[in-house]
Amino acid sequence: MDKRACTTMNDVELIGLTKRFKDTLAVDDVNLEIRHGEFLFLLGPSGCGKTTTLRMIGGLEAPSAGTVKIKGRAVNGVPPEKRDTATVFQRWALFPHKTVAENVAFGLKMKKKPRQDIARQVRECLEMVDLTGLEKRYPAQLSGGQKQRVALARALVVEPAVLLLDEPLSALDLKLRQQMRFEIKRIQKDINVTTVFVTHDQTEALAMADRIVVMHKGRIEQIGSPHEIYFNPVSRFTSDFIGETNFFPGRLAAREGDAVVVALADGGRLRAQLTDNAPCPTDVVVGVRPEQIILHRHAPAAGENVLRGKVLDVTFMGSTQRFHVAFGDRMIVVEDVGGAGRESGWHSAEDVYLEIQPHACLVLPA
């Protein structure tokens, strides 16, 4: 299958997109541009509006307000089969009475493509998803991963402008899910098809996406690259939902250039590096990722950004050690990744010092 030519046009535009189900506002004034060839993830908890947004792009739901544009053309009211999109569903939706080849060929037959073209495109698509030799099998004779590949091939064979994936890996076991992440990302980049992927799995989004759209209560909470979303969340919700974060409530004590000092509610102070010059409220929380905390048995010589706590338990997890540490009235999670050069032999009830670098401290409104 030939790669598509690059273009500066956004393949998808959502303008004021809103969906209401009776008294429930599922999607609330969403504005989004999706670039050509982009692998974009809609990420959020159940009920945040991500699947409804995807269904409105594909024409499976009609917006209550707003506009969906595909390749610059408004498609409100255009049925799914007449939009330049293809959808892979969570449960694959394969025809049980059709063979692999017949399932993949279905969309091309609906478009009344010549028989020789159908045979060639089906062959190429099955080769691309590594299903050559399984053309005559039926879905009941396939593994979960093979069914997923058939569903993907059936969507790709019609060469859509936009590929829509609705939690396609959720029915697979962990190992197969990890394998399919790599395969889908490889195929997406190889054919350069604009792709929108819905998931509630943050690991999936961080591993695969060009950009992530974090959704919360029907609205967009943040848009950014996986690196931006993980290390520079703009809200407590994003920081808490993406990965794991310890939150230290406190009050702004001082501002020193591009840094602030926060007096913590549970005692101690943390100096934090600010990423912008926006005004900082008085009541704040300091977010710190578990892997960015270093444990010491003795107080570090520097003495800055060091808190004192007590080990509650230690869990060995192979490549990491996971600590739960009591600090004031709260529990802090520490992830020792690799443990290279770190102290060992920790035990419960042991006094400990937590060292946190200023650049690892994220200051958010309380």
Side-chain angles (χ1 to χ4, degrees):
M1 196 176 293
D2 294 334
K3 293 185 178 181
R4 297 170 182 270
C6 290
T7 175
T8 56
M9 179 187 293
N10 292 312
D11 278 0
V12 180
E13 291 181 70
L14 308 181
I15 306 166
L17 198 63
T18 300
K19 180 64 180 181
R20 188 180 292 276
F21 296 101
K22 294 185 179 179
D23 297 330
T24 301
L25 187 59
V27 177
D28 184 11
D29 192 30
V30 165
N31 295 278
L32 179 64
E33 295 179 346
I34 305 173
R35 299 184 285 265
H36 176 75
E38 184 172 28
F39 203 168
L40 183 128
F41 271 63
L42 300 179
L43 174 67
S46 297
C48 72
K50 57 189 185 295
T51 294
T52 302
T53 300
L54 186 89
R55 289 174 64 84
M56 285 191 284
I57 296 172
L60 300 170
E61 293 285 354
S64 302
T67 303
V68 176
K69 287 186 176 182
I70 297 175
K71 292 286 189 180
R73 170 186 170 228
V75 293
N76 291 40
V78 176
E81 65 274 13
K82 294 187 178 180
R83 298 191 183 198
D84 199 358
T85 62
T87 304
V88 177
F89 297 99
Q90 184 175 356
R91 289 291 174 177
W92 313 313
L94 301 179
F95 298 112
H97 61 286
K98 293 182 181 292
T99 65
V100 166
E102 289 168 342
N103 266 281
V104 175
F106 180 78
L108 297 175
K109 288 183 177 179
M110 294 296 291
K111 291 177 179 288
K112 302 188 185 305
K113 294 281 187 178
R115 183 176 300 178
Q116 62 271 24
D117 289 348
I118 293 176
R120 175 183 54 80
Q121 289 181 254
V122 168
R123 184 174 63 253
E124 289 177 356
C125 225
L126 289 177
E127 183 179 353
M128 180 173 58
V129 299
D130 198 23
L131 286 177
T132 302
L134 302 183
E135 294 86 350
K136 295 182 179 180
R137 290 195 186 181
Y138 290 87
Q141 299 172 304
L142 303 175
S143 67
Q146 289 168 336
K147 290 176 184 177
Q148 181 60 73
R149 291 168 191 266
V150 174
L152 184 60
R154 185 176 62 182
L156 291 174
V157 77
V158 296
E159 298 184 296
V162 183
L163 176 65
L164 307 174
L165 303 172
D166 186 9
E167 303 209 43
L169 307 182
S170 61
L172 305 178
D173 62 50
L174 177 59
K175 189 170 184 179
L176 190 52
R177 206 158 60 233
Q178 291 172 335
Q179 179 185 342
M180 286 303 300
R181 285 175 194 162
F182 170 78
E183 290 297 323
I184 290 175
K185 186 173 182 178
R186 175 187 63 79
I187 292 167
Q188 191 272 338
K189 293 305 176 190
D190 185 52
I191 64 175
N192 199 34
V193 61
T194 304
T195 303
V196 183
F197 192 121
V198 162
T199 186
H200 62 273
D201 187 329
Q202 51 184 279
T203 303
E204 210 160 74
L206 291 170
M208 299 172 68
D210 293 328
R211 279 195 305 161
I212 297 172
V213 177
V214 180
M215 296 190 69
H216 180 46
K217 295 183 178 179
R219 299 184 69 89
I220 292 177
E221 190 83 7
Q222 185 173 353
I223 305 174
S225 69
H227 189 277
E228 290 167 341
I229 294 290
Y230 188 83
F231 288 108
N232 296 298
V234 298
S235 67
R236 181 165 180 165
F237 171 81
T238 301
S239 181
D240 200 25
F241 185 75
I242 306 296
E244 190 173 12
T245 304
N246 298 295
F247 292 106
F248 299 85
R251 291 178 66 82
L252 194 66
R255 181 154 189 165
E256 303 170 357
D258 62 351
V260 295
V261 177
V262 178
L264 303 182
D266 291 286
R269 296 158 77 88
L270 286 177
R271 181 185 300 274
Q273 205 77 31
L274 294 180
T275 56
D276 56 45
N277 295 316
C280 201
T282 302
D283 293 316
V284 298
V285 291
V286 179
V288 183
R289 299 289 189 187
E291 70 272 16
Q292 294 178 315
I293 301 175
I294 301 174
L295 296 185
H296 300 276
R297 282 197 169 87
H298 306 287
E304 184 183 49
N305 276 28
V306 176
L307 307 175
R308 187 167 182 174
K310 189 180 290 289
V311 176
L312 296 176
D313 66 64
V314 184
T315 305
F316 176 70
M317 302 176 70
S319 61
T320 67
Q321 283 191 101
R322 188 174 177 86
F323 297 81
H324 291 96
V325 178
F327 171 69
D329 292 332
R330 66 193 63 251
M331 184 182 70
I332 305 303
V333 178
V334 180
E335 198 87 12
D336 184 5
V337 181
R342 306 280 181 88
E343 300 177 51
S344 60
W346 296 96
H347 56 79
S348 298
E350 185 173 358
D351 289 332
V352 66
Y353 293 89
L354 298 86
E355 182 184 7
I356 308 167
Q357 295 299 318
H359 66 80
C361 296
L362 180 71
V363 180
L364 299 167

